[in-house]
Amino acid sequence: MSRFVHDVHMRWSDMDAYRHVNNTAYLTYLEQARVAMFFHRFESFSSGTVISRHEIRYLRPVVYHPDPLRIEVWVDRIRGASFDVHYEVLDHGVVAAQASTQCVTVDFAADRPRRLTDEERDVLRGFADDLPSGPGTG
């Protein structure tokens, strides 16, 4: 399966005093792409997910411009109650950042992690990518 691609528009307010997009804005960009990916094929996981870890490697600064950033997203390391989402953030075709997010499936009524369902595993496998890249891969 090829990577899921989502375009994210920067906001002028994402810039910091050093005249590049602030590192905190990237978490919002990643969230927008991750949510778009899941809603692309599946309305939601049966009880939801929480984020247990983020890792971002900044490779080059991004300066605001009106063109969207391209976020490529894929999934790997599907385990009993968690999975990893990986991202590449491209600015005019050049990788500006690589990131990963560990997601944990949760039963909110019981307030504890829960096992992925077979349907959820199938959805996640559909977002797999064989290209090694990003923090925590390889």
Side-chain angles (χ1 to χ4, degrees):
M1 175 87 197
S2 60
R3 297 176 180 191
F4 179 80
V5 175
H6 185 71
D7 289 337
V8 174
H9 288 274
M10 295 176 278
R11 301 172 305 176
W12 180 255
S13 62
D14 293 342
M15 298 274 285
D16 63 17
Y18 298 107
R19 297 183 299 192
H20 65 266
V21 172
N22 189 277
N23 65 306
T24 60
Y26 284 80
L27 289 173
T28 301
Y29 302 158
L30 302 179
E31 177 186 50
Q32 290 175 14
R34 185 177 59 251
V35 168
M37 180 180 72
F38 286 119
F39 279 95
H40 174 71
R41 278 209 209 130
F42 197 64
E43 288 188 15
S44 67
F45 280 3
S46 61
S47 293
T49 59
V50 296
I51 304 306
S52 64
R53 181 175 43 92
H54 287 295
E55 182 178 343
I56 303 173
R57 181 179 299 135
Y58 302 97
L59 303 173
R60 61 185 295 270
V62 173
V63 177
Y64 175 84
H65 53 77
D67 300 324
L69 298 172
R70 176 185 172 110
I71 314 289
E72 295 186 2
V73 188
W74 67 99
V75 173
D76 78 351
R77 295 181 44 136
I78 302 167
R79 295 173 294 283
S82 67
F83 56 94
D84 293 344
V85 179
H86 298 280
Y87 319 81
E88 284 191 336
V89 179
L90 291 96
D91 180 21
H92 290 119
V94 177
V95 178
Q98 296 172 321
S100 64
T101 300
Q102 185 176 52
C103 301
V104 176
T105 48
V106 174
D107 178 339
F108 291 120
D111 195 28
R112 62 183 186 89
R114 62 162 183 84
R115 295 195 67 77
L116 287 156
T117 66
D118 290 339
E119 183 182 11
E120 290 166 340
R121 286 179 184 284
D122 288 343
V123 169
L124 292 172
R125 284 186 197 108
F127 292 118
D129 181 55
D130 293 331
L131 297 175
S133 187
T137 61

